[in-house]
Amino acid sequence: MPPPTTSSLAGPSLAAGRQVALRSDRGAGRTPRATNTLEHQARLSLRLTPRDRWLIRMLHEHRVLTSAQITQTAFPSARSANTRLLELYQWRVLDRFQPFQAVGSAPMHYVLDVAGAAVLAAEDGLDAKALGYRHDRAIGIAHSLHLAHTVGINALFCALIAIAHHSGTAPSSDPHRAGGPGGRALTAWWSETRCQRLFGDLVRPDSYARWREDHPGGMRELEFFLEYDTGSENLTQLSRKLAGYHALAAATGIRTPALIWLPTARRETSARQALTAAMARLDRPGLVPVATSAADLTPHATTLDSPAGARWLPLAPSPHNSGTQGRVRLSALAELWPGSLAHRRVPSLGKDGATDEQAHDQRAPAPAPMPPVVTSLATTAERR
């Protein structure tokens, strides 16, 4: 499912309404909570399941997830998700807030709390300071002007995780397969913060990710950068980012597609005009494959029901497949541009999905986006 569209947010103007609807913290009630002592952290070793630990890592990487996003990606029902999230909140593994919303009620938003950060640091053999965690910063996103932007990015990737998680994809020990015929998986998802650390001298994408699908003719895998546009940024500023992607490709010799998600089809049309003009000014335009999509595309077919569907429109015809016309599936983009991940060696994957691009980064590695398989043993642990 696509992230919330800008038209669904109330306010005196498009930009102001988006922020008013998601920024102000309304509080979360007075639920009794544990004291974060060393004894409490030791008890958590018995209580936390692999899915809990996955969620801790996801929140450290991506800052905030809503209850709906967590349910969508890792739980069979809202009831089971809310029951477990309440326990994690009571144990100070997670903290939460509910933003003010002019119409209706916003979902609960979850961030990493102090006990969860301590668990993560201990798992990775890091000092808490080296982890870079501060509770005031974690909960401070409740009042951030960037909350709507962050929630929107995370909604897009949670939709990809959900479609892979619920499509019958079986776990596989082979890192080069998505799990079997027809299998799909989000195999990497890096946050804006991590991207800034790794690529920030040239470009600052909102995310980096890899999407994999098995097809009868073989596996397709696409790596891409995401630019998530909310409608508040000048299109000239958006199109200028292509120069940074061009510089990165020239420096690394790797053509990584830039996918641009826009709030409306009308803005997508305007953005494509600005992007085409910016592309023409590049020395080697072929180094920057670009495709766009809009959140409000009419779902006239089931292929538009998620970011994985046939909703991506390449900016220019592909010389590798000149017969391709119109919007294509996310995985199909991998075959349009020579030099993409589908046409080169896949970097080796390490612990928790970390790649050799991250070897110099001594902080917590990026988590594997796909949630662990829930076993009966884990379900028993959740009942303790």
Side-chain angles (χ1 to χ4, degrees):
M1 61 178 285
T5 63
T6 53
S7 61
S8 66
L9 300 177
S13 68
L14 191 62
R18 181 186 310 106
Q19 300 302 340
V20 168
L22 284 177
R23 186 178 56 182
S24 301
D25 183 10
R26 197 174 70 184
R30 295 185 178 180
T31 302
R33 306 188 70 194
T35 302
N36 183 42
T37 63
L38 292 177
E39 291 77 13
H40 171 64
Q41 293 175 18
R43 287 194 295 271
L44 288 177
S45 64
L46 178 65
R47 295 174 173 176
L48 295 181
T49 67
R51 181 169 59 189
D52 297 333
R53 297 176 186 275
W54 169 84
L55 182 55
I56 288 172
R57 290 185 176 276
M58 291 290 281
L59 285 171
H60 178 63
E61 178 74 13
H62 303 294
R63 299 193 66 188
V64 58
L65 293 171
T66 69
S67 56
Q69 291 167 358
I70 295 170
T71 301
Q72 180 185 30
T73 55
F75 285 86
S77 68
R79 180 178 180 180
S80 61
N82 290 333
T83 299
R84 190 57 175 176
L85 289 172
L86 176 59
E87 292 176 332
L88 295 175
Y89 170 72
Q90 291 173 324
W91 298 338
R92 294 191 182 273
V93 174
L94 309 181
D95 206 345
R96 66 185 188 182
F97 63 91
Q98 187 174 23
F100 169 80
Q101 189 163 291
V103 179
S105 298
M108 200 68 74
H109 289 50
Y110 286 88
V111 300
L112 190 62
D113 206 343
V114 288
V119 168
L120 178 57
E123 283 187 351
D124 289 346
L126 298 173
D127 183 85
K129 292 184 179 179
L131 192 63
Y133 172 84
R134 282 178 48 180
H135 182 258
D136 59 336
R137 291 179 180 173
I139 199 66
I141 197 172
H143 305 282
S144 172
L145 291 173
H146 300 289
L147 175 61
H149 184 253
T150 303
V151 170
I153 294 169
N154 294 352
L156 188 150
F157 285 105
C158 284
L160 287 175
I161 294 172
I163 194 172
H165 187 58
H166 299 295
S167 65
T169 302
S172 172
S173 59
D174 182 357
H176 299 283
R177 290 191 60 80
R184 290 174 278 191
L186 185 66
T187 59
W189 173 22
W190 296 355
S191 66
E192 180 180 6
T193 301
R194 187 175 298 273
C195 289
Q196 183 172 336
R197 289 204 304 266
L198 298 177
F199 313 115
D201 55 333
L202 296 175
V203 68
R204 297 185 178 186
D206 292 322
S207 291
Y208 163 86
R210 289 179 181 158
W211 175 252
R212 177 182 298 162
E213 283 193 21
D214 282 348
H215 292 260
M219 181 270 292
R220 292 176 180 174
E221 186 167 16
L222 174 77
E223 70 170 347
F224 61 92
F225 292 114
L226 177 74
E227 290 288 344
Y228 186 90
D229 177 71
T230 62
S232 60
E233 185 177 50
N234 185 284
L235 289 178
T236 300
Q237 185 176 353
L238 175 66
S239 62
R240 284 175 179 168
K241 295 180 180 180
L242 295 188
Y245 288 110
H246 181 272
L248 179 64
T252 61
I254 300 172
R255 286 185 285 191
T256 304
L259 305 190
I260 302 175
W261 183 274
L262 298 122
T264 65
R266 181 177 180 178
R267 183 167 171 85
E268 182 187 15
T269 299
S270 300
R272 290 178 64 84
Q273 295 173 355
L275 291 166
T276 299
M279 187 79 77
R281 293 191 291 269
L282 300 178
D283 294 334
R284 299 167 62 189
L287 289 181
V288 190
V290 175
T292 64
S293 188
D296 69 344
L297 289 177
T298 303
H300 56 77
T302 56
T303 54
L304 285 178
D305 64 358
S306 82
R311 63 185 308 142
W312 295 98
L313 185 61
L315 189 62
S318 167
H320 189 58
N321 188 355
S322 58
T324 298
Q325 300 292 332
R327 297 185 186 271
V328 300
R329 293 186 60 80
L330 181 61
S331 61
L333 293 173
E335 300 302 321
L336 298 185
W337 298 306
S340 64
L341 187 62
H343 303 275
R344 65 182 178 88
R345 181 184 66 84
V346 179
S348 58
L349 295 177
K351 180 182 177 183
D352 296 312
T355 64
D356 37 355
E357 286 97 332
Q358 297 171 272
H360 67 282
D361 193 341
Q362 299 303 311
R363 282 166 282 199
M370 298 304 297
V373 176
V374 178
T375 64
S376 57
L377 182 61
T379 304
T380 302
E382 289 187 358
R383 295 172 178 168
R384 288 173 177 168

